[in-house]
Amino acid sequence: MKVPAIVIASSLLLAVASAQGQGVNDAQIASIVVTANTVDIDAGKLAEATSTNAEVKKFAELMITDHTGVNKSAVDLVTKLKVTPQDNPTSQSLKSGGESNLASLKALKGAAFDKAYIDHEVVYHQQVLDAVDKTLIPSAKNEELKALLVKVRPAFVAHLEHARMIQSSMGAPAGSMGKK
């Protein structure tokens, strides 16, 4: 099942490239943030319900908790600022990639599921970090929105490192996509 991971990684790269290629406004950033977190919450819920690996289950629970917290903070902020998240090509691509990932994962069981889930989490968190660093933080006009992005960034770094640690205990993916 290496092809779906590569296809999904490619769609994430296109989403990030799309955001970088076009200027994004604060309403679009809000939509991207909420969508990116929701995608990871949904994958975490599937992993929590499907995995039989204690480490993978624990990681999935962390993804659900942390990304739900980030979404709550983002929604609270945009509500306070009276900004309505604006759907855009990047948020649409993230949502589509998330749906494709869930469909691929649902077809797997056991160690194959665990490996595919963790491999995707490594790629996904790296892409989200790239988008945060190269597009979202630099494009944010509202200082509170920018501050929220800066504040949550270390959690994404920690998630990436945690996923890489689990990935290395399972064996690196083909092509070492998880390595820098």
Side-chain angles (χ1 to χ4, degrees):
M1 278 294 176
K2 288 177 178 48
V3 173
I6 292 168
V7 170
I8 293 163
S10 297
S11 71
L12 292 172
L13 286 169
L14 290 174
V16 172
S18 172
Q20 290 171 354
Q22 55 182 279
V24 289
N25 62 38
D26 289 351
Q28 291 168 328
I29 291 170
S31 180
I32 292 165
V33 169
V34 170
T35 303
N37 282 291
T38 300
V39 163
D40 216 21
I41 292 165
D42 292 345
K45 287 178 179 177
L46 179 63
E48 184 181 44
T50 305
S51 180
T52 56
N53 180 308
E55 276 297 308
V56 172
K57 277 183 154 327
K58 184 177 170 186
F59 181 80
E61 290 168 9
L62 180 67
M63 294 305 95
I64 295 165
T65 301
D66 286 1
H67 289 286
T68 298
V70 172
N71 261 0
K72 182 181 180 331
S73 296
V75 169
D76 290 350
L77 179 61
V78 297
T79 300
K80 173 186 165 192
L81 298 175
K82 296 183 173 122
V83 172
T84 302
Q86 181 184 348
D87 204 18
N88 58 80
T90 302
S91 62
Q92 291 167 351
S93 181
L94 286 169
K95 183 177 181 192
S96 174
E99 290 167 354
S100 295
N101 180 49
L102 289 177
S104 295
L105 288 174
K106 285 177 182 176
L108 302 174
K109 299 282 181 244
F113 173 90
D114 294 335
K115 184 167 178 8
Y117 171 69
I118 292 298
D119 287 351
H120 179 267
E121 287 297 299
V122 168
V123 172
Y124 190 71
H125 280 88
Q126 184 62 61
Q127 294 305 322
V128 169
L129 277 169
D130 290 346
V132 166
D133 291 343
K134 295 175 184 170
T135 304
L136 303 183
I137 291 173
S139 297
K141 302 292 183 241
N142 181 282
E143 289 304 316
E144 289 180 85
L145 178 59
K146 188 176 284 199
L148 175 64
L149 293 167
V150 169
K151 177 182 168 188
V152 300
R153 187 187 181 284
F156 290 111
V157 172
H159 293 168
L160 175 60
E161 293 307 316
H162 189 172
R164 282 183 175 158
M165 181 195 71
I166 295 169
Q167 185 184 55
S168 70
S169 73
M170 296 177 155
S176 296
M177 281 194 310
K179 306 271 190 234
K180 278 189 174 179

